Amino acid sequence: MPDLPAGTVTFLFSDIEGSTALLRLLGDASFAAVREEHHRIVRSALEAHGGVEVDTQGDGFFLAFRTARSALACAIAIQRAVAAQPWPEGCAVRVRIGLHTGEALATSTGYIGMDVHLAARISAAGYGGQILLSLTTSSLVRKDLPANVLLRDLGQHRLKGLEQSEQITQVVLPDLPSEFPPLRSLSPALHNLPVQLTPFIGREREMAEIRRRLDETRLLTLTGPGGSGKTRLALQVAAHLIDAFPGGVWLTTLARGKELGKPTGEEALARVAQAVASSLGLREEERRPPEAVVVEYLREAKMLLILDNCAHLQEGCARLAETVLRAARGMKILATSEQPLGAAGEAVYSVLSLGVPDRQQFRAVEALRESDAVRLFVDRAMAASAQFVPDDTAMPAVAQIVRQLQGIPLAIELAAAKVKMLSVHQLAAQLDDRFRLLTRGANTLQATLDWSHDLLTGPQAVLFRRLAPFAGWFRLEDAEAVCADDAIRRDDVVDLLSALVDKSLVVVDQSGKDALYRLLDLVRRYAAEKLDATTTAVAVRAHHRAHFTERLHETGKRIYGPDDTPLAQFERDHEDLRTALEWSLQQKDLAEAFRLAVAMAPFWELGGYWSEGRRYLETVLAAAAELPAALRADGLCYAGGLAIHQGDYARAEALGLEALRLSEHSGELREMAVALQTLGAVHYYHNEYGDAQRRYEEALRQAHLAGDLRVTASVKLGLAANLIHLDRYEEAERLATEALEDFKRSDHQRGVASAMNLLGIMKTDQGDFDEAVPLFEDSLKIRRSVGDRRGIASSLSSLGLIARHTGDFDAAEAHYRESLVICRGLGALHGVAIALAGLGITATLRGDMVTAAGLLKEGLDVRAARRDVSGVAECLQALARVIPDPAASVRLLGAAAALRADPGRADLHHTPTATDPVPVLRRALGDSQFEAAWRDGQAMTMDAAVAYARSITI
């Protein structure tokens, strides 16, 4: 096995299309000669472009390249050589090629990993003569394509064996065919609609009407009582509309928990926006509320958004819908709610119960079989019991059942599950006794749930009630831990849970490694009412909180360890942790609420749940003023850290100062150090490096006194980064090296990677690239292993900087582009700005001034929005080297110098490496014009300088 490229690799898969037909046409000997010549072409191109042959099977090749540009060049060379080769008469040899850039584990036998499978599937979706690229690869090569080569966007495609759709791009070569049939993909559509575990029955007329109404309006709300089937109907309509929306069909379920009242105003809007962002795969961004992130993402989208279960967040749904639809003309929204949202432009469709037979039809069996309600009961009853036979004798009883249940789908499904215990005639008789006086749909559903509950055995009913606290999917071991006690033995839970599944009170999903269970929202609310009516309610909810809190603390011990398992576990438990936290607040159990919020804080930070974390932390901070000083100070500092992530530096400073006062008064040294570190970070991000230095130095003294190794290491690293801006490299390197050793001793892998990266930056700034590269590479390796995407992006940008300085512009661009993709996905604007600046300066050094100007202006906008003074100065300085007007260049340099007038505002990345332009510009303009232009620039405010730079055309 050859030495395989490591880290980020571009994989190329190719084969001869229709090779079996060629073999039949040519015969063994001639086909062998064709295949040998094909192998020669591929290997010749491979050698010319520095790739590695990973595997060969028949006429198929698996190749790997260190850069996407080299892989693309190889693919183009293969296609041109194949097209130019004089093949045997009547023989058309066509090769299909697919490329994808990603990460995979190199083993002794080759590569493994999903990125390898994706590359292979992209190749298999194409046709002979075609080159297809994944989104990642196309992003890496787009700005530096070979001459006369274009990219054609083929849209989103679902590929065999892969859950997520992929954006596919075709390479268009002027000298080769470029028109091909539609790709061999499963579907070009995007959606996140869940797989339905049971067939959808009936509702053809309603679906047709809803689709017609959606053609006429942009916001349609399906209303109706609980159990009427609004959600299932919306999902079925949406499934039929996937092809009508190029941007996809996306479901946001607004799960109803035991809320702290009914959120209104900005809080309701934020909650809905966060839920939508999560369903779209968006992350929060600094200095931007979640609704702004959602609106910006959807502005050009042609998409159907489903807002399900809106009643408890009605105001937030209405406000977000109005905002989105005003900004995004291609958007439509389908909502479900027990009542209209009250939004401007809203149309409403009332979802009624399923049609039931008239009593006069009971003897006409064939007519009964056409009833939607009867069909639903029969389908679910046959699924529940193989003994149920819907013959002519059973159908009148079925019709009586669904009529008594008034066609309410959920009630029918619950009743149908009972055919395992009772005949349909017995069911009909019992229903007649129970429901004789009921005339309203809501009462009927309540009575059906009561009836289902009354039929449970004692232990089954106990377990059913005790499952109410589970907000999301749970596993058997979760139910055992929370629900078992003297009344229910742990060993009995599995059988009791199976019985609840059989009775349709619990839903089971067995598609994964472990079976997962959950209660439907209406059923869960019913179970909660039953639980809260018992004397054990508080104990059960306390057990639920204790179970998930204990798991949170266990995963928290490993959060900075060598893998990303803790964060993944938090994601799985997130809904239940929220439920436990809200219940604690409702019970005014403020100490437990505070402890749980503080334990969740690191996960909120790493997972990007900044708004949620701040909301909960500030809620408990406001409610729990009498908590132990150390715990309260921790909460204040975590809230301050999240505020820094969002760019809310004023609030972060206020929280940090309160934490500092509290810890000084109580003498809590560790908390004092963390508070001072928070305040140092506020000054650092404000570019106030002198003030930051004073705060960091005091934080370090307190951390030493506290004897907390991780806090000490973290403060040292912040202090070292700040010292770089003050040009005190020797001290900075000493502190960063000490921090590295401290992080290693405390098994803080993210800290180890951060320290390595900072040391690499120092080496780079001092021109010691040979020492910087292994530091960046080791940092990147650790960050990939722990799933630290923000850190991965940082290390990639650092490697891009090295490659740029050493003249390897292909590698620099590849690193910066991968970093840019990651940062945009995370909403990490600081990283976006760094990657854009790196790409812009790289383009400058290549001599592509038009591309450079576009990238640098885009980065300038990001820097200005964050009020990043030194970043704006960096962009202005870089733009000055791009524009052709010498006077404009001098004005930009003058403005940059004015912004850097504070000696504490030294630049971390000195750019670019070309000769200082000032002497050249002075000679071009003469002393008088140069000085005048310089004064003009010096007089500009930051906003004026940004506007001026934006106005300059290349």
Side-chain angles (χ1 to χ4, degrees):
M1 176 61 59
D3 185 19
L4 300 178
T8 302
V9 179
T10 298
F11 303 110
L12 184 156
F13 279 84
S14 74
D15 65 359
I16 298 175
E17 183 182 37
S19 55
T20 302
L22 274 178
L23 173 60
R24 287 197 298 266
L25 174 67
L26 297 173
D28 290 347
S30 296
F31 179 77
V34 165
R35 188 170 66 181
E36 183 177 348
E37 183 60 20
H38 162 258
H39 282 33
R40 185 197 64 77
I41 289 172
V42 172
R43 287 175 174 140
S44 175
L46 179 66
E47 182 178 358
H49 295 93
V52 175
E53 183 176 329
V54 182
D55 192 19
T56 305
Q57 294 184 10
D59 55 274
F61 278 84
F62 175 18
L63 313 178
F65 297 82
R66 287 179 171 80
T67 70
R69 191 167 184 269
S70 299
L72 175 60
C74 181
I76 292 171
I78 291 171
Q79 291 292 23
R80 284 176 168 158
V82 169
Q85 178 67 25
W87 302 105
E89 186 174 349
C91 169
V93 176
R94 296 186 179 90
V95 175
R96 56 182 178 180
I97 301 176
L99 282 73
H100 170 60
T101 306
E103 302 170 51
L105 178 63
T107 70
S108 59
T109 58
Y111 289 104
I112 60 174
M114 287 306 300
D115 286 308
V116 175
H117 292 291
L118 177 54
R121 292 305 184 191
I122 290 172
S123 175
Y127 293 86
Q130 198 170 30
I131 302 173
L132 300 177
L133 312 180
S134 70
L135 173 62
T136 305
T137 305
S138 64
S139 297
L140 292 171
V141 302
R142 186 177 297 276
K143 292 295 185 180
D144 190 26
L145 292 169
N148 299 320
V149 174
L150 302 175
L151 297 183
R152 178 182 296 166
D153 185 2
L154 300 183
Q156 293 278 348
H157 292 267
R158 287 177 56 228
L159 305 175
K160 184 177 179 181
L162 300 174
E163 294 181 0
Q164 299 296 322
S165 299
E166 178 67 24
Q167 187 85 14
I168 304 293
T169 302
Q170 177 188 320
V171 178
V172 178
L173 305 174
D175 50 335
L176 294 178
S178 61
E179 300 302 323
F180 299 93
L183 296 185
R184 298 181 174 100
S185 58
L186 300 180
S187 167
L190 272 174
H191 69 85
N192 68 337
L193 303 180
V195 176
Q196 299 300 323
L197 303 178
T198 56
F200 185 81
I201 304 296
R203 300 279 201 187
E204 287 84 1
R205 180 186 60 79
E206 290 94 331
M207 287 196 293
E209 177 64 14
I210 291 169
R211 292 177 67 174
R212 185 187 68 78
R213 296 287 296 277
L214 275 173
D215 286 339
E216 299 171 350
T217 187
R218 297 178 63 210
L219 171 59
L220 178 63
T221 302
L222 308 186
T223 62
S228 59
K230 302 182 295 295
T231 295
R232 189 67 190 273
L233 180 57
L235 294 178
Q236 195 69 17
V237 169
H240 285 282
L241 291 175
I242 288 175
D243 292 337
F245 291 92
V249 174
W250 296 92
L251 168 67
T252 298
T253 300
L254 302 165
R256 186 198 306 261
K258 295 185 75 67
E259 302 284 358
L260 298 172
K262 186 175 182 179
T264 58
E266 295 302 318
E267 181 182 355
L269 175 60
R271 290 200 183 195
V272 176
Q274 287 163 10
V276 172
S278 179
S279 67
L280 295 172
L282 306 178
R283 305 298 287 270
E284 292 192 49
E285 294 183 3
E286 303 159 75
R287 287 185 171 272
R288 300 186 73 194
E291 60 271 20
V293 176
V294 169
V295 170
E296 182 63 27
Y297 177 80
L298 296 177
R299 191 175 299 278
E300 303 300 326
K302 295 181 179 179
M303 180 189 300
L304 175 64
L305 177 64
I306 306 168
L307 297 177
D308 181 40
N309 199 19
C310 296
H312 62 299
L313 289 168
Q314 179 182 341
E315 181 181 345
C317 290
R319 289 181 59 181
L320 184 71
E322 291 177 356
T323 304
V324 166
L325 295 177
R326 278 197 298 266
R329 296 185 178 275
M331 286 290 302
K332 294 198 175 190
I333 297 176
L334 179 62
T336 72
S337 179
E338 293 176 5
Q339 58 191 11
L341 304 183
E346 177 186 25
V348 178
Y349 182 86
S350 297
V351 177
L352 305 176
S353 299
L354 294 172
V356 298
D358 294 334
R359 290 190 179 277
Q360 290 80 3
Q361 294 178 309
F362 277 20
R363 295 182 180 278
V365 174
E366 291 307 314
L368 295 181
R369 296 185 191 278
E370 295 178 1
S371 162
D372 285 350
V374 170
R375 290 166 58 199
L376 177 62
F377 182 95
V378 168
D379 179 86
R380 302 304 191 258
M382 291 179 69
S385 174
Q387 281 70 47
F388 172 71
V389 179
D391 56 19
D392 291 355
T393 61
M395 295 307 289
V398 172
Q400 183 180 346
I401 292 168
V402 300
R403 184 174 175 81
Q404 288 286 356
L405 297 175
Q406 300 185 8
I408 299 173
L410 180 57
I412 292 171
E413 295 201 24
L414 290 169
K418 295 174 178 61
V419 299
K420 298 182 72 173
M421 302 173 292
L422 302 169
S423 71
V424 288
H425 297 91
Q426 291 173 310
L427 282 172
Q430 288 199 12
L431 281 170
D432 188 52
D433 290 340
R434 284 177 170 272
F435 296 176
R436 187 178 295 119
L437 300 178
L438 297 175
T439 58
R440 295 173 62 90
N443 289 339
T444 300
L445 181 58
Q446 177 72 29
T448 306
L449 288 166
D450 285 339
W451 179 40
S452 296
H453 185 263
D454 291 346
L455 290 175
L456 298 176
T457 67
Q460 290 170 358
V462 171
L463 180 63
F464 174 66
R465 294 192 295 269
R466 291 182 179 183
L467 293 176
F470 289 102
W473 292 97
F474 59 90
R475 293 169 296 181
L476 172 62
E477 52 265 38
D478 297 322
E480 291 171 339
V482 172
C483 303
D485 63 2
D486 294 340
I488 301 178
R489 293 191 311 118
R490 192 181 187 96
D491 292 345
D492 293 335
V493 171
V494 61
D495 292 333
L496 296 173
L497 189 58
S498 297
L500 296 178
V501 171
D502 290 341
K503 293 173 172 59
S504 294
L505 291 170
V506 173
V507 178
V508 61
D509 179 2
Q510 296 178 310
S511 60
K513 178 182 177 182
D514 297 320
L516 298 174
Y517 305 87
R518 78 177 303 163
L519 279 69
L520 296 177
D521 183 61
L522 282 169
V523 177
R524 179 173 172 253
R525 279 190 272 163
Y526 178 85
E529 291 173 3
K530 292 294 183 183
L531 175 65
D532 292 340
T534 69
T535 59
T536 60
V538 171
V540 171
R541 294 190 183 278
H543 287 159
H544 173 268
R545 178 182 65 192
H547 172 65
F548 285 99
T549 301
E550 181 182 0
R551 189 149 72 198
L552 178 67
H553 285 306
E554 286 301 313
T555 55
K557 294 175 184 177
R558 298 178 286 115
I559 190 171
Y560 301 114
D563 60 60
D564 61 352
T565 303
L567 188 56
Q569 181 66 57
F570 174 80
E571 297 284 359
R572 287 192 291 270
D573 294 343
H574 198 167
E575 286 186 76
D576 282 287
L577 288 166
R578 281 197 201 108
T579 299
L581 180 53
E582 290 184 347
W583 178 74
S584 299
L585 288 166
Q586 285 181 326
Q587 294 294 112
K588 300 192 183 305
D589 192 348
L590 300 179
E592 285 300 317
F594 208 114
R595 290 187 180 92
L596 182 54
V598 169
M600 293 174 72
F603 293 97
W604 281 325
E605 179 183 6
L606 291 174
Y609 298 99
W610 302 333
S611 295
E612 175 184 317
R614 284 186 68 187
R615 182 175 71 246
Y616 280 122
L617 284 167
E618 298 218 30
T619 296
V620 294
L621 283 166
E626 303 302 323
L627 288 172
L631 185 62
R632 184 169 178 80
D634 279 345
L636 288 163
C637 289
Y638 276 127
L642 294 174
I644 288 173
H645 280 305
Q646 293 187 304
D648 189 353
Y649 301 127
R651 183 56 181 159
E653 184 173 22
L655 291 163
L657 286 170
E658 185 181 348
L660 180 59
R661 286 193 296 269
L662 186 63
S663 55
E664 285 178 337
H665 183 265
S666 64
E668 299 288 347
L669 298 177
R670 176 190 172 278
E671 282 65 33
M672 197 184 306
V674 175
L676 287 162
Q677 182 185 21
T678 301
L679 294 169
V682 170
H683 290 302
Y684 178 88
Y685 285 110
H686 267 308
N687 309 120
E688 297 164 351
Y689 302 119
D691 291 333
Q693 185 70 15
R694 288 186 287 276
R695 291 296 193 183
Y696 278 133
E697 287 174 347
E698 180 59 25
L700 186 57
R701 281 192 289 273
Q702 300 303 329
H704 277 308
L705 290 172
D708 190 304
L709 195 58
R710 285 188 175 178
V711 173
T712 300
S714 181
V715 174
K716 284 179 179 177
L717 201 61
L719 183 54
N722 193 73
L723 284 166
I724 295 174
H725 289 271
L726 299 175
D727 289 325
R728 293 160 61 179
Y729 278 85
E730 186 175 343
E731 295 174 72
E733 187 171 350
R734 175 181 58 79
L735 282 168
T737 302
E738 290 178 7
L740 175 61
E741 295 306 314
D742 290 345
F743 281 131
K744 286 180 178 178
R745 284 159 51 202
S746 60
D747 194 27
H748 192 313
Q749 293 300 304
R750 284 184 171 86
V752 169
S754 297
M756 286 179 171
N757 197 69
L758 187 61
L759 284 165
I761 289 173
M762 294 183 213
K763 297 295 184 183
T764 302
D765 282 354
Q766 296 170 76
D768 194 348
F769 303 145
D770 289 340
E771 289 194 35
V773 169
L775 286 165
F776 289 143
E777 289 178 343
D778 288 346
S779 172
L780 179 60
K781 183 178 179 180
I782 293 171
R783 284 166 161 174
R784 290 192 193 280
S785 72
V786 300
D788 182 3
R789 297 182 66 204
R790 187 184 295 267
I792 291 168
S794 176
S795 292
L796 287 167
S797 285
S798 298
L799 285 168
L801 181 66
I802 291 280
R804 196 180 81 212
H805 277 303
T806 56
D808 189 350
F809 301 141
D810 288 348
E813 185 167 330
H815 291 315
Y816 282 130
R817 287 206 174 277
E818 186 179 355
S819 178
L820 182 61
V821 169
I822 293 171
C823 289
R824 279 180 168 157
L826 290 173
L829 297 186
H830 181 67
V832 167
I834 289 174
L836 287 169
L839 286 168
I841 295 166
T842 303
T844 303
L845 297 172
R846 283 186 185 276
D848 185 354
M849 301 306 181
V850 174
T851 298
L855 290 163
L856 291 170
K857 286 181 179 181
E858 186 179 352
L860 181 64
D861 289 341
V862 176
R863 300 280 200 184
R866 297 183 68 247
R867 313 307 294 174
D868 179 356
V869 178
S870 64
V872 167
E874 177 186 352
C875 288
L876 294 175
Q877 179 183 333
L879 272 168
R881 299 173 182 271
V882 172
I883 59 176
D885 182 348
S889 294
V890 173
R891 292 187 189 100
L892 293 182
L893 290 172
L899 292 174
R900 296 183 192 280
D902 181 346
R905 287 177 178 164
D907 192 22
L908 181 60
H909 296 297
H910 302 294
T911 56
T913 57
T915 305
D916 184 0
V918 170
V920 176
L921 292 169
R922 186 179 289 275
R923 285 195 299 271
L925 291 173
D927 288 344
S928 176
Q929 290 187 46
F930 180 93
E931 295 298 339
W934 184 269
R935 286 193 299 273
D936 289 344
Q938 291 262 293
M940 291 181 184
T941 64
M942 185 177 79
D943 290 336
V946 170
Y948 179 69
R950 293 289 303 164
S951 71
I952 300 171
T953 58
I954 304 298

